[in-house]
């Protein structure tokens, strides 16, 4: 297969010469193409250098012309091989009309995409035909997919939006749903504070073990899937465990009964009836452990291309595998991951909700309510996140602090606190980029792994 002759690389030297000539005659031609055309899109390396030199001068608000470009090229430069300064003059003499500059730029850009596609295919053929024993086929597929996505990344063709356009989009969202601008969580009090989970936001939910982080995440993911497909990346639990929690929360059958199979007839009927509706919910669970950020990005891109995507939920951040260069530095590794999750939210234009463990320092304080400084290997989590929330259950700590000594007064006081804290969880928002911080009480049922609004 490697001996099959490949077609020549697509290119149009005439279009490159015409565009460069137009820029050298009138620098306004550069402005019309600079939003999408880069120097590396030119086939001829000399033309690429001329375009880069023009860009450098124009960015400095200086004139780019055959005369001013002379200082950019020495005698040994590639420009000498095509005639030196005289070649710049010829380009200017055979320039295209400035009005046609964008058309020539688009033609050059399209041909660059074709060459890039051809190169990716050649690389794919080479890697597939002579596989590296240490490189799994799926890794080749993922690498090629990443290259293809990068080839058409929106930043190559995007242009700044006028304020009027952004205002129109904002008003359109407000008109369509005045109660929530983002993906609803199904928890009215949470959506009231956040306005839903908006794109491209990075939402961090932190908490110590047994606080209910995963229960909150599954509640949010399941409810959000009623509005758009959701990818739930479970790096700690299996898909079966996540499904069990969802069944419990939706049917009222305790998790331990579903796991042990000790269901009553009524509970079994409720599960069978609920499954019909649950099957239609577009919630996709990725249960493979130790995924890297690139693996998660690959799965999210694929799901969005096939079925659409409205939200990504990750349980939990510290279990994502970082790159090899940061393996010895956990803080730097988590920093890289948090930045990558924010980039993923922007790239796919979806909200990303990531759970995070907290340091043990919480347990050493009298007041166990979490703070931003408790984020484990925090790095830039606080900086990258749009919203940081913590789950806190006073009931958990009170249960472990039942007085074994002292008189009836201490026991009565403890029982009174337990009564007030029972079945409640606090969500404490310590960072909110688009609004004030807040604290809200919610209903929490540990047996059903269910979060809900606290009824008055």
């Amino acid at each position: 297969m490697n001996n099959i002759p490949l077609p020549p690389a697509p290119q149009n030297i005439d279009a490159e010469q015409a565009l460069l000539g137009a820029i050298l005659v009138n620098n306004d031609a550069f402005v019309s193409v600079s939003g999408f055309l880069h120097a590396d899109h030119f086939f001829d390396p000399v033309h690429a250098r001329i375009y880069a030199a023009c860009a450098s001068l124009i960015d400095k608000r200086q004139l780019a012309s055959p005369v001013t470009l002379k200082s950019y090229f020495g005698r040994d430069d590639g420009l000498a091989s095509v005639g030196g300064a005289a070649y710049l003059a010829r380009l200017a003499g055979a320039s295209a009309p400035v009005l046609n500059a964008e058309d020539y730029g688009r033609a050059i850009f399209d041909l660059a995409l074709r060459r890039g596609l051809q190169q990716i295919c050649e690389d794919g053929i080479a890697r597939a035909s002579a596989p590296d024993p240490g490189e799994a086929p799926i890794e080749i597929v993922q690498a090629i997919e990443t290259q293809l996505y990068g080839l058409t990344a929106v930043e190559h063709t995007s242009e700044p939006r006028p304020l009027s356009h952004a205002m129109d989009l904002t008003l359109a969202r407000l008109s369509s749903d005045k109660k929530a601008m983002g993906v609803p969580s199904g928890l009215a009090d949470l959506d009231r504070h956040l306005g839903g989970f908006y794109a491209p936001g990075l939402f961090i939910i932190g908490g110590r073990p047994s606080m209910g982080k995963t229960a909150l995440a599954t509640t949010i993911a399941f409810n959000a899937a009623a509005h758009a497909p959701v990818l739930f990346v479970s790096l700690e639990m299996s898909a079966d465990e996540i499904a069990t929690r969802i069944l419990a929360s939706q049917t009222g059958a305790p998790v331990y009964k579903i796991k042990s199979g000790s269901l009553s007839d009524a509970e079994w009927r409720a599960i069978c009836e609920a499954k019909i509706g649950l099957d239609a919910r577009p919630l996709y669970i990725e249960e493979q452990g130790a995924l890297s950020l690139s693996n998660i990005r690959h799965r999210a891109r694929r799901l969005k291309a096939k079925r659409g995507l409205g939200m990504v939920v990750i349980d939990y951040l510290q279990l994502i595998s970082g790159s090899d260069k940061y393996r010895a530095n956990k803080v730097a590794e988590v920093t890289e991951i948090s930045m990558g999750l924010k980039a993923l939210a922007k790239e796919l234009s979806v909200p990303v909700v990531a759970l995070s463990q907290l340091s043990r320092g919480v347990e050493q304080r009298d007041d166990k309510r979490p703070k931003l400084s408790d984020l484990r290997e925090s790095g830039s989590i606080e900086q990258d996140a749009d919203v940081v929330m913590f789950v806190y259950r006073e009931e958990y700590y009170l249960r472990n602090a039942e007085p074994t000594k002292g008189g009836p007064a201490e026991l009565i006081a403890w029982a009174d606190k337990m009564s007030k804290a029972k079945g409640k969880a606090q969500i404490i928002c310590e960072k909110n980029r688009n609004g004030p911080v807040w604290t809200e009480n919610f209903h929490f049922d540990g047996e059903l792994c269910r979060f809900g609004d606290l009824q008055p």
Side-chain angles (χ1 to χ4, degrees):
M1 182 178 291
N2 289 340
N3 295 326
I4 297 176
L6 294 170
Q11 44 85 15
N12 188 335
I13 297 299
D14 292 338
E16 294 183 5
Q17 292 175 329
L19 175 62
L20 290 175
I23 293 173
L24 292 172
V25 170
N26 187 336
N27 289 175
D28 287 344
F30 174 80
V31 176
S32 67
V33 300
S34 60
F36 63 89
L37 191 66
H38 301 170
D40 56 7
H41 292 142
F42 286 79
F43 176 76
D44 190 319
V46 174
H47 292 165
R49 295 199 59 157
I50 294 173
Y51 184 82
C54 289
S56 179
L57 283 172
I58 294 170
D59 285 345
K60 296 174 184 176
R61 297 186 178 182
Q62 297 177 12
L63 177 67
S65 70
V67 175
T68 58
L69 284 182
K70 284 183 181 180
S71 60
Y72 270 78
F73 302 97
R75 292 183 181 180
D76 297 330
D77 194 272
L79 184 65
S81 64
V82 294
Y87 183 67
L88 297 174
R90 287 202 303 272
L91 288 177
S95 65
V98 175
L99 290 176
N100 297 334
E102 184 172 353
D103 294 332
Y104 284 107
R106 292 290 178 189
I108 295 168
F109 176 78
D110 290 344
L111 289 168
L113 289 186
R114 290 179 181 274
R115 291 195 302 274
L117 181 60
Q118 188 183 72
Q119 184 62 54
I120 291 171
C121 292
E122 290 179 18
D123 292 344
I125 291 173
R127 294 170 73 174
S129 302
D132 179 353
E135 186 175 40
I138 188 62
E139 293 177 345
I140 299 175
V141 172
Q142 291 177 359
I144 292 174
E145 187 178 64
T146 298
Q147 289 176 294
L148 287 171
Y149 195 89
L151 195 63
T152 57
V154 294
E155 54 262 30
H156 288 297
T157 57
S158 65
E159 295 182 358
R161 291 180 179 179
L163 176 61
S164 59
H165 179 67
M167 292 287 284
D168 288 342
L169 291 176
T170 300
L171 291 176
R173 287 197 300 268
L174 284 171
S175 300
S176 62
D177 188 350
K178 295 180 181 179
K179 293 182 180 179
M181 295 176 65
V183 180
S185 68
L187 300 172
D189 288 334
L190 185 59
D191 292 333
R192 175 169 55 84
H193 286 293
L194 296 179
F197 287 82
Y198 51 83
L202 174 59
F203 298 79
I204 299 296
I205 299 176
R208 289 292 295 158
S210 300
M211 288 295 105
K213 296 189 303 297
T214 302
L216 178 59
T218 53
T219 298
I220 292 170
F222 179 79
N223 292 332
H227 303 272
V230 174
L231 174 62
F232 192 104
V233 182
S234 179
L235 301 173
E236 187 175 38
M237 296 184 179
S238 67
D240 176 64
E241 289 176 297
I242 298 299
T244 297
R245 286 168 169 255
I246 292 174
L247 276 174
S249 68
Q250 297 302 308
T251 64
V255 170
Y256 75 89
K257 282 193 172 186
I258 299 176
K259 285 186 173 182
S260 64
S262 56
L263 295 165
S264 66
D265 290 341
E267 290 167 338
W268 177 247
R269 282 195 302 272
I271 287 176
C272 292
E273 291 172 1
K275 185 181 181 300
I276 298 173
L278 298 181
D279 285 346
R281 194 66 59 102
L283 175 59
Y284 301 91
I285 304 171
E286 172 56 62
E287 62 179 342
Q288 183 177 337
L291 288 176
S292 66
L293 190 60
S294 62
N295 294 145
I296 295 173
R297 185 183 297 113
H298 166 77
R299 285 156 173 76
R301 286 174 181 167
R302 176 169 293 184
L303 181 59
K304 183 170 184 176
K306 287 185 175 182
R307 308 183 188 279
L309 186 63
M311 177 184 284
V312 176
V313 180
I314 300 171
D315 183 14
Y316 57 89
L317 186 150
Q318 282 84 2
L319 290 180
I320 298 175
S321 297
S323 59
D324 291 338
K325 63 180 179 180
Y326 293 127
R327 286 289 166 84
N329 188 333
K330 191 63 178 178
V331 172
E333 184 182 36
V334 172
T335 298
E336 177 192 37
I337 291 168
S338 70
M339 293 175 64
L341 292 178
K342 179 60 179 177
L344 178 65
K346 295 186 69 174
E347 175 187 316
L348 300 181
S349 190
V350 298
V352 173
V353 181
L355 306 191
S356 177
Q357 289 283 20
L358 302 184
S359 66
R360 290 193 178 96
V362 176
E363 310 299 334
Q364 311 305 319
R365 300 197 302 261
D366 291 335
D367 184 358
K368 303 295 194 292
R369 286 174 175 80
K371 305 175 182 178
L372 287 173
S373 57
D374 294 323
L375 286 169
R376 190 173 174 184
E377 292 104 18
S378 59
S380 65
I381 295 177
E382 178 185 344
Q383 175 183 331
D384 296 326
D386 295 279
V387 174
V388 179
M389 299 179 288
F390 298 108
V391 184
Y392 169 73
R393 291 198 302 117
E394 187 179 15
E395 180 186 6
Y396 172 83
Y397 291 107
L398 285 173
R399 183 179 291 113
N400 296 331
E402 181 178 359
T404 57
K405 297 179 180 180
E410 288 81 1
L411 190 60
I412 291 173
W414 171 84
D416 183 56
K417 289 182 179 179
M418 275 292 293
S419 177
K420 292 178 180 178
K422 186 174 178 59
K424 294 179 182 178
Q426 277 190 335
I427 295 181
I428 303 168
C429 179
E430 284 285 292
K431 178 185 178 182
N432 187 3
R433 198 185 298 276
N434 295 314
V437 296
W438 47 267
T439 298
E440 190 71 56
N441 291 316
F442 291 84
H443 171 72
F444 175 74
D445 190 322
E447 286 192 348
L448 304 182
C449 295
R450 180 162 65 191
F451 266 82
D453 291 305
L454 197 61
Q455 299 300 321

